[in-house]
């Protein structure tokens, strides 16, 4: 499926569903999870943790509270055990399961961050490739607007370059 690469704060995006870069415990600490928790202005952390823990690569869905979205899909690319590092498999599974969870709920739009590439330590370029390929290969039912979001300009440059290559658009 087609998707766009955007730069900004995921907590300020407007979409049917926002994806949280979660760990298996679903505790919303720092990074993407912290930004969403603060902006939700409600018990989103408690709502997520009540549904956990989830398997590595698994997802759960909560209300978005005061975020400009209907739901938040908590995608666990990071284990809250062992070394706490994301893997290629966990990034791929979390991305695919987040797309499916939003699609199954009839969402038309979804914003996904670089799952596993922050606190979980997975290489950004490799993670971006896996996420972009997974989105590109996904056959949606209801999803029409998928945005792969980068927070910083450096992250945006990397994600944009990798996504363009996946889509066969060359560099840029």
């Amino acid at each position: 499926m087609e998707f766009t690469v955007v730069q900004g704060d995921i907590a300020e995006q407007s979409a049917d569903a926002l994806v949280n870069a979660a760990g298996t415990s679903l505790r919303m600490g720092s990074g993407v999870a912290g930004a969403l928790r603060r902006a939700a202005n409600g018990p989103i952390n408690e709502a997520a943790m009540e549904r956990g823990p989830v398997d590595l690569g698994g997802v759960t869905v909560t209300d978005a509270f005061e975020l400009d979205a209907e739901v938040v899909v908590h995608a666990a690319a990071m284990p809250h055990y062992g070394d706490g590092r994301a893997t290629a498999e966990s990034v791929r599974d979390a991305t695919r399961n987040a797309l499916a969870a939003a699609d199954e709920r009839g969402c038309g739009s979804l914003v996904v961050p670089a799952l596993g590439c922050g606190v979980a330590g997975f290489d950004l370029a490799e993670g971006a490739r896996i996420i972009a390929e997974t989105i590109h290969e996904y056959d949606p039912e209801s999803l029409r607007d998928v945005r792969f979001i980068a927070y910083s300009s450096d992250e945006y440059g990397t994600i944009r370059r990798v996504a363009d290559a996946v889509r066969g658009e060359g560099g840029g």
Side-chain angles (χ1 to χ4, degrees), residues 82-94:
D83 65 5
R85 309 281 286 187
T87 65
E89 181 179 16
S90 71
V91 171
R92 183 175 296 106
D93 290 349

Side-chain angles (χ1 to χ4, degrees), residues 1-14:
M1 80 174 296
E2 292 301 314
F3 64 95
T4 56
V5 178
V6 298
Q7 182 181 349
D9 183 343
I10 192 169
E12 296 175 359
Q13 294 289 304
S14 175

Side-chain angles (χ1 to χ4, degrees), residues 6 54 59-60 67 85 87 91-92 109 114-115 117 129 137:
V6 298
V54 296
V59 301
T60 195
L67 294 162
R85 309 281 286 187
T87 65
V91 171
R92 183 175 296 106
S109 57
L115 297 170
C117 299
R129 182 188 63 76
E137 294 166 359

Side-chain angles (χ1 to χ4, degrees), residues 11 13 18 36 38-44 63-69:
Q13 294 289 304
L18 302 175
L36 291 172
R38 289 185 298 275
N41 198 27
I44 192 169
D63 184 82
F65 296 89
E66 292 185 20
L67 294 162
D68 192 6

